[in-house]
Amino acid sequence: MYTPINQWAEDDRPREKFLLKGRSALSDSELLAILIGSGSKNESAVQLCQRILNSTQNNLTLLGKLSISQLTQFKGIGEAKAIAIAAALELGRRRRVEETVLVSKITSSKAVFELMQPIIGELAHEEFWVIYLNNANKIIQKAQISKGGLTGTVVDFRIVFKLAFEYNATAIILSHNHPSGKLQASQADIQLTKNMQQAGKSLDIQILDHIIVTEKSYFSFADEGIL
């Protein structure tokens, strides 16, 4: 039988629980319930949020990819509630992007992944980025070089190296995403990397790595011995 949240024991209500026990004590569905405020006449806000999360296998990343129209398909979720959910998840994504600014020095392929995943790891299209470094492998700048479709993007070498000279970079790391989630370098990826490496040698700019980023993992050309 459905019991409204305002009839629950006080320390079981999401807002009261947040105040009494702290944010970490709440489940994902309870946190979402605070955002939407109320459910429908047949289920509480928590139950409604549990149903929404179940539809994405309790994966917040997948939840963040749902459109407003997809969210409003759930009974009890109108446009305002859908926008509140989407806005909160976008803030979470932006927070992760800001946290990557704290990475000042590249020490491993994993560090590159952690830097780039919040930026390109969850995109539905490919983007090609370059991380520009000084001779101590400290990050000077990172820049989007191109933006493509579902299966590829075109990279202009002139732009890559023009920026390298502007930033006084001595080394660069290439990075692009695979929206398909496939952790494998294509022949085009390999050829591009080798051509870039050859061009870099003549300009005295080292290509340290090329990282393919997916939502959950990465492929490093350096780690795999391709560079």
Side-chain angles (χ1 to χ4, degrees), residues 3-154:
T3 304
I5 287 179
N6 61 12
Q7 294 179 24
W8 293 7
E10 187 170 300
D11 60 355
D12 285 335
R13 300 175 201 167
R15 289 190 183 89
E16 287 79 355
K17 187 175 180 180
F18 190 103
L19 291 172
L20 291 169
K21 299 181 180 180
R23 67 193 71 182
S24 61
L26 276 70
S27 65
D28 291 344
S29 59
E30 289 172 326
L31 290 170
L32 283 175
I34 291 175
L35 287 173
I36 67 171
S38 62
S40 66
K41 66 177 183 179
N42 295 318
E43 61 184 351
S44 69
V46 174
Q47 290 169 327
L48 173 55
C49 291
Q50 286 173 338
R51 186 157 58 87
I52 295 171
L53 283 166
N54 285 340
S55 74
T56 61
Q57 294 81 52
N58 294 303
N59 186 308
L60 292 176
T61 298
L62 292 178
L63 178 61
K65 293 181 178 181
L66 295 184
S67 66
I68 299 302
S69 61
Q70 287 174 314
L71 287 168
T72 54
Q73 295 302 307
F74 293 92
K75 187 177 180 180
I77 298 294
E79 187 176 82
K81 290 180 180 179
I83 291 172
I85 292 172
L89 291 166
E90 175 61 16
L91 280 173
R93 187 195 68 81
R94 293 185 186 186
R95 178 183 176 183
R96 286 198 304 154
V97 171
E98 287 183 358
E99 285 173 348
T100 65
V101 175
L102 299 175
V103 179
S104 62
K105 185 174 182 179
I106 298 297
T107 57
S108 66
S109 56
K110 184 179 179 183
V112 179
F113 171 70
E114 291 174 348
L115 177 70
M116 296 305 302
Q117 195 282 335
I119 300 172
I120 61 175
E122 298 168 18
L123 298 178
H125 60 272
E126 278 200 16
E127 290 189 4
F128 193 97
W129 286 64
V130 173
I131 302 168
Y132 294 91
L133 309 169
N134 64 16
N135 56 12
N137 287 348
K138 288 187 176 181
I139 299 171
I140 301 171
Q141 186 60 273
K142 57 183 182 293
Q144 181 197 82
I145 303 301
S146 63
K147 180 178 178 180
L150 295 174
T151 58
T153 181
V154 177

